[in-house]
Amino acid sequence: MLTHLAIRDVVLIEALDLEFGAGLGALTGETGAGKSILLDSLGLALGARADSGLVRHNVPQASVTASFDVPPDHAVHAILAEEGFAGEPGEPLILKRIVKADGGSRATINGMPAAVGLIRDIGAMLVEIHGQHDERGLLNPRGHRALLDNFARLDAAMVARLWQEYREVEAELAGARDLLETALRDREYLEHAVGELRKFAPEPGEEEILAERRALMMKSARLAEDLHKIRDLVEPGEAGLSKLRQAARLLERIAPEHAVLAEALAALDRALIEGSLAEEKLEEAARAMVYSPADLDDDETRLFDLRALARKYRVQPDQLAEHADALAAQLEAIETGENRLVGLERRVETCRKSYVQAATALSAARRAAGAQLDRAMAGELPPLKLDAARFRTVVEPLAEGQWGAGGMDRVEFEIATNPGAPFAPLIKIASGGELSRFILALKVALAEQGGAVSMIFDEIDRGVGGAVASAIGERLHRLSRVAQLLVVTHSPQVAARADHQFLIAKTSDGTVARTGVRQLSQVERREEIARMLSGAEVTDEARSQATRLLERL
């Protein structure tokens, strides 16, 4: 509920701090005292359009701060958390708006900058303001279905779940059909491609292996002649190593004759060892470089064919095997797709039947609830001087293309204000005073819970008095048991039913006019209600009548 309202420099209000409690609060005062300024100020804090004309003369800016005590299970907490404005449990929610005299405005939530659109959305969830120009809340047909469901405590969750399931299976069926149609168009291509790739049987990494092997064989061809010459020079026979061995054998006989000859023999032995190692490596290289021209031709052919296939199918050579599997899966989908479609079509039909069955039951429950609400409204209208009016709840079936998670119905509240007059939406028929009373009657009939935590009725008693005003006061008092209510009223009968009463008064020092608001004590309430009863001169009779009105509570 709204707990505190701080207004600074708004039109005639210089500085005002108001504390509000639960129940019904009445705002009274002379005509022109500034009640509209108070409501405009609250509307500003709730996200209404910023108007620099609201800023008091000769000051740079105006500000309004509204504090709320919001129940922990209220839906506004989820929005605040999602937008990063979640506070500690038990802390008030504070909305603030600043308007500059030269244009522009700023908004904050709990002291942090916020978008005005977010403030507006949150404000609509916290406070409903009902007046003769109000076109939100109960007057918006888009919310009537949910209001009727809440009134009858109908659970539409099953219908929403079945609708979601139905839509998901429908989407799956549509996707399967698209895949099958595409596959059928490409069947001949798929069969050829899969056959070609399966016959070629590409393997991951094959290109690298073939390329390396081909490069080695081509290198061997270039080195073969030089290698042959080198081997001729070192192999046994007339080659160098053979002659060195012969020299070593001769040197062995004469080496003991002189130390230098022994050194020469040692050097020759080392040369023979290295030469033998070189001979072995040459043999090893010769064996490694042996290749078949046919093998080279085969590897070259497969490598070129592999790369040609990759270009043809627009993939890398190493991806050909994976691509073949994917094409084969598409081909297989043609063979299994029709059976899958049959299964999905059966599932869609089953889901549709389940949804229609649940939604039909919900529609019947809504029609019954509509009749119950109509009877409740029939009892609420006459005491509010709307005895000639008729109310009805329209529950009409929607075309299948308009079905949804909320069911298969359109729900709208309609009225006819005079006998024989056609039914039409409230906003198109009711006048200002009638409209507020219709809303009050509907609020009482619905006994709505879980909506806005505060409601404000602006001059709901306009143009009525006596028993009708008493009936309005009684219903406001009853409704204030489930939500905080504030009512701007000129009716003493309505003001007397309030739990709290605030007096709005305008003062002037001859040059500057100011609007002030203060909460009245019980004695002051009697005097104010007496003024409302008698006019400018408060009589003892008016005071006595005011006392009787207050004693009814």
Side-chain angles (χ1 to χ4, degrees):
M1 67 177 180
L2 176 66
T3 58
H4 181 79
L5 185 65
I7 305 173
R8 299 290 184 271
D9 296 318
V10 175
V11 194
L12 300 180
I13 299 176
E14 185 174 0
L16 183 62
D17 289 276
L18 290 174
E19 301 288 338
F20 298 97
L24 176 60
L27 300 169
T28 63
E30 297 282 0
T31 300
K35 293 185 287 293
S36 62
I37 300 175
L38 196 64
L39 294 184
D40 288 344
S41 298
L42 177 59
L44 188 64
L46 299 175
R49 186 179 67 85
D51 184 355
S52 60
L54 291 173
V55 181
R56 195 165 65 90
H57 184 59
N58 286 334
V59 297
Q61 65 181 33
S63 69
V64 183
T65 305
S67 299
F68 294 88
D69 181 10
V70 186
D73 59 345
H74 198 278
V76 75
H77 290 296
I79 295 178
L80 289 170
E82 183 178 343
E83 297 293 335
F85 292 96
E88 294 296 326
E91 287 188 347
L93 171 60
I94 302 174
L95 307 181
K96 184 174 182 179
R97 194 83 177 278
I98 297 174
V99 181
K100 297 181 179 179
D102 57 359
S105 69
R106 290 186 288 117
T108 64
I109 298 176
N110 293 337
M112 295 184 290
V116 174
L118 177 60
I119 293 268
R120 188 180 303 117
D121 292 342
I122 291 174
M125 299 175 69
L126 295 174
V127 180
E128 292 180 10
I129 301 178
H130 299 292
Q132 59 178 324
H133 302 297
D134 180 54
E135 296 184 8
R136 301 170 299 166
L138 298 182
L139 303 185
N140 188 348
R142 301 174 97 179
H144 290 177
R145 188 168 63 189
L147 289 170
L148 182 62
D149 289 351
N150 289 339
F151 167 75
R153 291 179 173 82
L154 301 179
D155 186 3
M158 178 184 294
V159 171
R161 179 179 59 79
L162 291 173
W163 170 257
Q164 182 65 25
E165 184 178 347
Y166 172 40
R167 295 294 294 162
E168 287 175 356
V169 177
E170 266 197 330
E172 187 177 354
L173 174 61
R177 280 176 174 158
D178 289 343
L179 286 175
L180 184 59
E181 289 176 4
T182 301
L184 286 172
R185 288 196 301 269
D186 298 338
R187 183 169 193 162
E188 184 176 343
Y189 163 76
L190 290 172
E191 288 176 342
H192 168 77
V194 170
E196 182 178 42
L197 290 171
R198 288 286 188 250
K199 181 179 180 181
F200 190 83
E203 296 180 2
E206 185 178 5
E207 181 194 25
E208 183 178 357
I209 295 171
L210 288 172
E212 288 180 355
R213 206 159 64 196
R214 172 176 174 266
L216 181 59
M217 285 190 285
M218 293 179 68
K219 186 185 299 182
S220 298
R222 292 196 305 271
L223 298 176
E225 184 178 351
D226 290 338
L227 183 60
H228 180 71
K229 291 178 180 179
I230 294 170
R231 290 176 66 197
D232 284 346
L233 292 173
V234 298
E235 284 182 352
E238 297 300 321
L241 282 179
S242 177
K243 292 185 180 294
L244 284 175
R245 289 188 183 100
Q246 292 175 25
R249 284 195 296 272
L250 291 173
L251 191 56
E252 280 179 340
R253 292 196 299 269
I254 64 175
E257 300 298 330
H258 196 284
V260 176
L261 292 175
E263 292 176 3
L265 178 61
L268 192 57
D269 286 341
R270 290 194 299 272
L272 284 171
I273 292 172
E274 292 298 327
S276 297
L277 180 60
E279 187 178 34
E280 291 176 6
K281 293 300 180 182
L282 288 170
E283 289 295 329
E284 184 180 344
R287 290 192 300 271
M289 292 185 182
V290 172
Y291 73 96
S292 167
D295 291 341
L296 174 60
D297 186 58
D298 291 343
D299 280 0
E300 282 189 333
T301 300
R302 183 164 181 84
L303 179 61
F304 296 155
D305 288 346
L306 181 71
R307 289 172 173 170
L309 280 176
R311 288 192 299 272
K312 177 179 180 179
Y313 292 107
R314 298 180 180 178
V315 296
Q316 295 299 316
D318 284 350
Q319 297 173 335
L320 278 172
E322 182 180 347
H323 187 62
D325 293 339
L327 296 177
Q330 292 182 40
L331 188 60
E332 184 180 357
I334 297 175
E335 301 170 0
T336 61
E338 292 183 354
N339 292 333
R340 181 167 179 261
L341 279 185
V342 171
L344 284 173
E345 286 169 351
R346 288 173 181 169
R347 282 184 60 199
V348 167
E349 186 59 29
T350 299
C351 290
R352 184 183 185 280
K353 287 181 179 178
S354 297
Y355 168 77
V356 169
Q357 183 178 357
T360 300
L362 181 61
S363 298
R366 282 172 175 161
R367 286 191 292 272
Q372 182 183 353
L373 179 59
D374 294 349
R375 290 192 295 271
M377 283 292 288
E380 292 293 335
L381 294 176
L384 298 176
K385 202 178 178 181
L386 296 169
D387 45 307
R390 292 168 295 149
F391 174 91
R392 74 176 182 183
T393 305
V394 178
V395 182
E396 292 182 342
L398 293 168
E400 185 166 347
Q402 296 175 299
W403 291 358
M408 306 186 300
D409 317 300
R410 180 188 72 87
V411 176
E412 185 171 359
F413 303 143
E414 294 183 341
I415 62 166
T417 54
N418 297 302
F423 282 92
L426 276 84
I427 192 64
K428 292 185 177 180
I429 290 183
S431 63
E434 287 179 327
L435 185 58
S436 295
R437 279 178 277 146
F438 269 116
I439 290 173
L440 176 60
L442 190 52
K443 278 286 186 183
V444 173
L446 289 170
E448 183 186 32
Q449 298 189 27
V453 294
S454 302
M455 286 181 278
I456 297 175
F457 287 87
D458 184 13
E459 298 189 6
I460 192 173
D461 49 12
R462 177 179 298 180
V464 300
V468 176
S470 295
I472 291 173
E474 189 276 329
R475 279 155 179 78
L476 287 170
H477 183 74
R478 192 196 320 169
L479 189 57
S480 71
R481 301 308 96 180
V482 297
Q484 179 192 45
L485 260 69
L486 295 174
V487 56
V488 176
T489 180
H490 292 286
S491 168
Q493 292 91 341
V494 172
R497 298 293 299 188
D499 299 295
H500 321 281
Q501 186 170 347
F502 301 86
L503 177 63
I504 304 174
K506 183 189 294 184
T507 60
S508 175
D509 59 7
T511 56
V512 178
R514 292 180 175 85
T515 291
V517 183
R518 62 185 179 88
Q519 186 170 350
L520 301 179
S521 66
Q522 195 66 13
V523 173
E524 290 172 327
R525 286 190 67 187
R526 189 190 73 156
E527 196 69 14
E528 170 64 8
I529 291 174
R531 181 200 63 76
M532 297 170 73
L533 285 165
S534 62
E537 183 179 349
V538 179
T539 63
D540 290 339
E541 181 181 353
R543 291 187 178 94
S544 297
Q545 189 175 353
T547 300
R548 288 194 295 272
L549 287 174
L550 289 168
E551 287 175 349
R552 290 181 186 178
L553 297 178

